[in-house]
Amino acid sequence: MKSSATAQEVARLAQVSQSAVSRTFTPGASVSEDTRNRVLAAAKTLGYRPNALARSLITRRSRIIALVMSYLQNQFYPLVIEKLSQSLQKQGYHVLMFISDLEETDGVLAEILQYQVDGIVMASAMLSPDLARQCAESGVPVVLFNRVPDISAFARHSTSSVTSDNHRGGRMVAELLLARGHRRIAFLAGLEKSSTNLERERGFNEVLEAAGVAVFRRAVGHYSFELAKEATRELFAGPDLPDAVFVANDHMAIAAMDVLRQELGLRVPEDVSVVGFDDVPQASWGAYRLTTVVQSVEDMVEATVELLHEQMREGTHPRNVVIPCRVVERDSVRAAG
Amino acid sequence: MKSSATAQEVARLAQVSQSAVSRTFTPGASVSEDTRNRVLAAAKTLGYRPNALARSLITRRSRIIALVMSYLQNQFYPLVIEKLSQSLQKQGYHVLMFISDLEETDGVLAEILQYQVDGIVMASAMLSPDLARQCAESGVPVVLFNRVPDISAFARHSTSSVTSDNHRGGRMVAELLLARGHRRIAFLAGLEKSSTNLERERGFNEVLEAAGVAVFRRAVGHYSFELAKEATRELFAGPDLPDAVFVANDHMAIAAMDVLRQELGLRVPEDVSVVGFDDVPQASWGAYRLTTVVQSVEDMVEATVELLHEQMREGTHPRNVVIPCRVVERDSVRAAG
DNA sequence: CTGAAAGCGCTTACAG
DNA sequence: CTGAAAGCGCTTACAG
């Protein structure tokens, strides 16, 4: 395995000092046109590429961002990987993936820190609040993606976050369902302690309450496809059925629609209206045409990158950015009248 | 930003040499029980973590594997990220993501090599055959995932690959469709020059030909959801319609089913049978229940990791591993008789 | 088992 | 603009 040439070897061939070759590859460093060309020529014939690891050791910037996720079943997250990775690549950063279950979360942080990452984005509702704090304590910029710092004052003041306006989104869903005349409205929850679920449900409940309508029934799907199916069966057991369900995310909403139609023989939206959250690509597929709340991955990623940069500069305070969201109506909610 | 403690500082606190602290963090190195404990204690109070970058510089192993992909729309690939990342993590390796379009593929390689990755897995049918060669030339182990080296003798002998048995899979689909009495069978192609498409179509055609049945019609969807919709419209235009379609992957097959049912008002499988390839999670969703050829992500990932290890050892030859595949029957192909 | 020393491949003051 | 030199944080022969 021929390892790549070193700056030393390039210097020798180009008849300049090693410093000169380093400068040639450092944007903004001062090298004469002549030296630069000699170096470039030599580099080319030797196939030279600066060793990013050695560079990082001395500059103290690895240009690596850790991305921590716990499950990719929900298509929302692959989209995040794609957009975030592309956006970061354009700026010379790269994404190091960490897949973490709830259990092995502590070890993950240790690994991340060993790589001297320049930042961490935690993009999963399923991560322990503890890990978030640990990261922040390490002094590495952290931005929580699609989740909010836990209630401890410490986390709030040391960690940035970007979420969409889950509370507002929950409200909009309740308003829509009420406007369409629904009164027996069920809620299918995700992970109960996740901030996404908490906020969506809070907004949803507020509006229902204000209208004097109680949540008709409630079950928990933990953001899992299979458990959401179970939860749907619960919701639609008994003689008196809901006439609408708000499901805490699209991934579960699709599971719910499958059960409703295939198992229970109910029609959507004629018998039941269904609303999701996220607007994953599958929500617009012909078989589902799910009415949902759109979270803009693009906007969220953009905010994340900006927050990362902010925190890499000294003396900036963490911020919690909230991205507006909106309802996209398709065919899973019955029409007015 | 408090940067982490160094081995030097730990050594001072523990009253040992820096070599001693290095040894306690190097599995298999010889340290007395006593020194080890002193070092561990000191490390703990200082929150010391070995700097992986500095270590890599000297060991010449970064324990980083580059994963190159070009699109994550097809849910098959997120699964690969998840499984591969988990498997590698267990062995102390990590995945650095590279999202690459067909155009900017050259720059990507340069970036990858700067990070001194220990291996590269190229997991996308959409990558230029050229990039594969470049990687191999750099001397870094490369394994092609779900694609095969191009026809040049050089690539064949320098690059490992893992694919499922696409050729056999294509044959099985043709056999199934023939057995169900279909004679007007269309093919909806993916990227025409990709090895997955080539092999699947070749196997498919072989069996049809042997049975004296010509491919009824053919269109190209380039593995894109939108283009697959277009292609489906082409296939089902005119007075004489196909009674079955083999679609080169599930992602496109779902697009096809949407068009068939929503736009064209055809029933699956009563009017048309549809078969896909991959068995992505969505294929089993209630609204589709797609009959398809399953490629085992687990087996493919396992083989990939093994191949990576093989190539990291000197003196091993690249291999092309072919994973068996099988048909899973659901409800998108009409029953016998 | 242990420490002093060399060195991995780079960047960056420091003099000129 | 340029080179010699120090040093980033580690590992690993080499002597003891």
Side-chain angles (χ1 to χ4, degrees):
Chain A
M1 180 150 84
K2 58 181 167 197
S3 82
S4 146
T6 75
Q8 199 60 256
E9 301 173 297
V10 175
R12 188 155 30 226
L13 181 59
Q15 314 230 51
V16 297
S17 72
Q18 198 237 63
S19 317
V21 358
S22 174
R23 289 193 184 100
T24 307
F25 288 95
T26 305
S30 65
V31 237
S32 69
E33 199 52 27
D34 181 48
T35 338
R36 148 176 245 94
N37 288 147
R38 295 234 303 282
V39 169
L40 256 20
K44 187 156 191 184
T45 85
L46 295 178
Y48 171 73
R49 294 265 142 228
N51 181 325
L53 268 26
R55 165 180 290 168
S56 295
L57 193 56
I58 196 153
T59 61
R60 301 174 159 294
R61 312 208 133 278
S62 62
R63 304 197 78 84
I64 294 177
I65 303 292
L67 175 56
V68 187
M69 288 192 169
S70 63
Y71 76 136
L72 304 183
Q73 295 296 326
N74 178 351
Q75 180 68 16
F76 183 71
Y77 289 108
L79 249 34
V80 173
I81 299 180
E82 184 169 353
K83 302 294 180 195
L84 185 66
S85 183
Q86 281 178 318
S87 171
L88 254 18
Q89 261 175 248
K90 271 184 206 133
Q91 308 174 44
Y93 287 85
H94 290 281
V95 168
L96 198 60
M97 285 292 316
F98 291 85
I99 306 289
S100 144
D101 292 344
L102 264 180
E103 295 79 35
E104 33 153 342
T105 191
D106 321 337
V108 166
L109 177 66
E111 295 173 37
I112 292 177
L113 295 177
Q114 289 192 306
Y115 279 103
Q116 316 297 115
V117 298
D118 288 347
I120 303 176
V121 359
M122 307 198 16
S124 175
M126 292 177 124
L127 253 12
S128 85
D130 217 48
L131 183 56
R133 181 165 41 245
Q134 286 183 58
C135 289
E137 275 168 358
S138 73
V140 178
V142 176
V143 7
L144 265 29
F145 187 98
N146 204 28
R147 91 195 282 318
V148 119
D150 69 34
I151 19 56
S152 84
F154 178 83
R156 268 205 138 33
H157 292 297
S158 63
T159 313
S160 286
S161 70
V162 13
T163 54
S164 55
D165 195 342
N166 291 304
H167 174 248
R168 181 108 191 64
R171 292 186 60 98
M172 293 189 295
V173 173
E175 282 157 8
L176 174 68
L177 260 15
L178 252 18
R180 296 304 157 79
H182 289 293
R183 291 298 177 269
R184 300 202 309 280
I185 309 177
F187 179 66
L188 203 168
L191 276 175
E192 292 195 88
K193 287 179 298 189
S194 68
S195 62
T196 46
N197 187 78
L198 251 22
E199 288 296 286
R200 288 167 196 178
E201 185 166 13
R202 188 167 65 86
F204 179 70
N205 285 344
E206 273 177 17
V207 171
L208 250 37
E209 229 168 89
V213 174
V215 174
F216 184 73
R217 210 166 281 168
R218 181 183 189 278
V220 184
H222 297 95
Y223 288 142
S224 139
F225 197 83
E226 286 310 318
L227 296 177
K229 283 180 156 184
E230 276 301 336
T232 305
R233 292 181 195 111
E234 275 177 49
L235 252 21
F236 289 81
D240 212 23
L241 300 187
D243 63 1
V245 210
F246 172 32
V247 189
N249 76 3
D250 288 354
H251 188 61
M252 295 197 302
I254 285 169
M257 284 181 78
D258 277 355
V259 169
L260 256 20
R261 303 201 285 205
Q262 325 288 325
E263 288 183 27
L264 274 22
L266 295 168
R267 291 164 308 162
V268 176
E270 294 83 349
D271 302 316
V272 208
S273 289
V274 178
V275 185
F277 210 111
D278 280 353
D279 195 28
V280 297
Q282 289 81 356
S284 64
W285 285 2
Y288 298 101
R289 308 258 334 126
L290 181 67
T291 291
T292 190
V293 181
V294 2
Q295 304 203 91
S296 166
V297 175
E298 285 79 4
D299 292 351
M300 291 176 74
V301 162
E302 193 183 325
T304 302
V305 172
E306 169 56 24
L307 245 22
L308 241 21
H309 285 309
E310 264 184 44
Q311 304 223 60
M312 288 195 244
R313 297 190 286 270
E314 308 277 324
T316 51
H317 292 293
R319 291 191 298 135
N320 301 309
V321 174
V322 177
I323 307 287
C325 53
R326 62 188 173 77
V327 170
V328 56
E329 276 219 61
R330 286 195 270 254
D331 306 332
S332 67
V333 171
R334 75 181 181 203
Chain B
M1 178 150 83
K2 58 181 167 197
S3 84
S4 147
T6 75
Q8 199 62 255
E9 300 173 296
V10 175
R12 188 155 31 227
L13 181 59
Q15 313 231 53
V16 297
S17 73
Q18 199 237 63
S19 316
V21 358
S22 174
R23 289 191 184 101
T24 73
F25 288 96
T26 304
S30 63
V31 237
S32 69
E33 198 53 26
D34 181 49
T35 343
R36 149 177 243 93
N37 288 147
R38 295 234 303 283
V39 170
L40 255 21
K44 188 159 191 183
T45 84
L46 294 178
Y48 171 73
R49 295 266 143 228
N51 181 325
L53 266 29
R55 166 179 289 169
S56 296
L57 193 55
I58 196 153
T59 61
R60 302 174 158 293
R61 311 208 133 279
S62 61
R63 304 196 77 84
I64 294 176
I65 303 292
L67 176 55
V68 188
M69 288 192 171
S70 62
Y71 77 134
L72 305 183
Q73 295 297 326
N74 177 353
Q75 180 67 15
F76 183 71
Y77 289 107
L79 249 36
V80 173
I81 298 180
E82 183 169 354
K83 301 295 180 195
L84 185 66
S85 183
Q86 281 178 319
S87 170
L88 253 17
Q89 262 175 249
K90 272 184 206 134
Q91 309 174 43
Y93 287 85
H94 291 281
V95 168
L96 198 60
M97 285 290 318
F98 291 85
I99 307 287
S100 143
D101 292 343
L102 264 179
E103 294 79 35
E104 32 153 344
T105 193
D106 321 337
V108 166
L109 178 66
E111 294 172 37
I112 291 177
L113 294 177
Q114 289 192 306
Y115 279 102
Q116 316 297 117
V117 299
D118 288 347
I120 302 175
V121 0
M122 308 198 17
S124 173
M126 290 177 125
L127 254 13
S128 84
D130 218 49
L131 183 56
R133 180 165 42 244
Q134 286 183 58
C135 289
E137 276 168 357
S138 74
V140 177
V142 176
V143 6
L144 265 29
F145 188 99
N146 205 27
R147 88 193 284 319
V148 117
D150 68 34
I151 19 54
S152 85
F154 178 82
R156 269 204 136 36
H157 292 297
S158 64
T159 313
S160 285
S161 69
V162 13
T163 54
S164 55
D165 195 342
N166 291 305
H167 174 248
R168 181 107 189 64
R171 292 186 61 98
M172 293 189 294
V173 173
E175 282 158 8
L176 174 69
L177 259 15
L178 251 17
R180 295 305 157 79
H182 289 293
R183 291 298 177 271
R184 299 202 310 279
I185 309 177
F187 179 67
L188 204 168
L191 276 175
E192 292 196 87
K193 286 178 297 188
S194 69
S195 62
T196 46
N197 186 79
L198 251 21
E199 288 296 286
R200 288 166 196 179
E201 185 167 12
R202 188 168 64 88
F204 180 71
N205 285 343
E206 272 176 19
V207 171
L208 251 37
E209 228 167 274
V213 174
V215 173
F216 185 73
R217 213 165 278 168
R218 181 182 189 278
V220 184
H222 297 96
Y223 289 141
S224 139
F225 198 83
E226 285 311 317
L227 296 178
K229 284 180 155 183
E230 275 301 334
T232 306
R233 292 181 195 112
E234 275 177 50
L235 252 22
F236 289 81
D240 211 21
L241 300 187
D243 63 0
V245 210
F246 172 32
V247 188
N249 76 3
D250 288 354
H251 187 62
M252 294 197 302
I254 285 169
M257 283 179 77
D258 278 356
V259 169
L260 255 19
R261 302 200 287 206
Q262 325 287 327
E263 287 183 27
L264 274 20
L266 295 168
R267 291 164 307 162
V268 176
E270 294 83 348
D271 302 317
V272 207
S273 290
V274 178
V275 184
F277 211 112
D278 280 352
D279 195 28
V280 297
Q282 289 81 355
S284 64
W285 285 1
Y288 297 102
R289 307 257 334 123
L290 181 67
T291 291
T292 189
V293 180
V294 3
Q295 304 203 92
S296 166
V297 175
E298 285 80 4
D299 292 351
M300 290 176 74
V301 162
E302 192 183 326
T304 302
V305 172
E306 168 56 24
L307 246 20
L308 241 20
H309 285 310
E310 264 183 44
Q311 304 222 60
M312 288 195 243
R313 296 191 287 271
E314 308 278 323
T316 51
H317 293 295
R319 291 191 298 135
N320 302 309
V321 173
V322 177
I323 306 288
C325 54
R326 62 188 173 78
V327 169
V328 56
E329 275 220 60
R330 285 193 272 254
D331 306 332
S332 66
V333 171
R334 74 182 181 203

